[in-house]
Amino acid sequence: MRAVVQTVSRASVTVDGEVVGAIENGLLVLLGVTHTDDPRVAATMARKIHELRILDDERSAADVGAPILVVSQFTLYGDARKGRRPTWTAAAPAEVAEPLVTTVVEALRERGATVETGRFRAHMLVDSVNAGPRTILLDL
């Protein structure tokens, strides 16, 4: 599982002209799933995201109650090493990825996080204003 975590002053996801998820002053998480991921990995990813000390004064979303916007992003497992056209073979199929993304979201909420999401399998417009900017790649 991979996550790109960015500090944002605001972020939102729009699908078919409707805002389906939006936050202010929190974390935007682009989340990718691979074939070997399982619920244990998802729970670990949720903990790492929630406790990541990426906010001001080395604080985490858990410390300050910052909201989190989670957006599924299979392209995090794109591989373009052999040319200009990426291959997506390392990305888990939607049937595998969707329940694991949901597991991460639920685990974050169980930890007390306020979580918004995109919409799985939809063409999403993701809008964000990075704060800092601070961006971290978590790769489990």
Side-chain angles (χ1 to χ4, degrees):
M1 192 168 282
R2 287 183 181 153
V4 173
V5 182
Q6 297 179 311
T7 55
V8 295
S9 60
R10 68 178 182 270
S12 64
V13 177
T14 302
V15 176
D16 295 330
E18 173 193 358
V19 175
V20 297
I23 63 165
E24 291 186 359
N25 300 313
L27 301 177
L28 171 60
V29 177
L30 306 176
L31 185 63
V33 178
T34 192
H35 304 280
T36 57
D37 291 335
D38 59 27
R40 183 186 53 77
V41 172
T44 299
M45 181 60 81
R47 179 185 55 77
K48 300 235 347 147
I49 290 167
H50 199 224
E51 295 177 0
L52 184 65
R53 298 189 170 281
I54 191 174
L55 298 171
D56 291 342
D57 300 320
E58 295 185 9
R59 300 186 67 151
S60 68
D63 294 332
V64 301
I68 302 168
L69 175 59
V70 176
V71 180
S72 175
Q73 188 81 26
F74 78 91
T75 59
L76 289 178
Y77 279 100
D79 184 354
R81 288 179 290 180
K82 293 185 178 179
R84 296 173 294 150
R85 182 177 296 148
T87 175
W88 313 111
T89 57
E95 300 75 30
V96 172
E98 186 172 12
L100 290 173
V101 170
T102 299
T103 298
V104 170
V105 168
E106 290 172 354
L108 284 165
R109 288 179 177 148
E110 287 172 8
R111 297 177 65 79
T114 299
V115 182
E116 296 282 323
T117 65
R119 187 171 294 157
F120 208 87
R121 293 189 191 194
H123 179 76
M124 296 178 279
L125 299 176
V126 180
D127 183 40
S128 68
V129 176
N130 291 10
R134 286 168 251 165
T135 302
I136 299 291
L137 172 65
L138 298 176
D139 198 0
L140 302 182

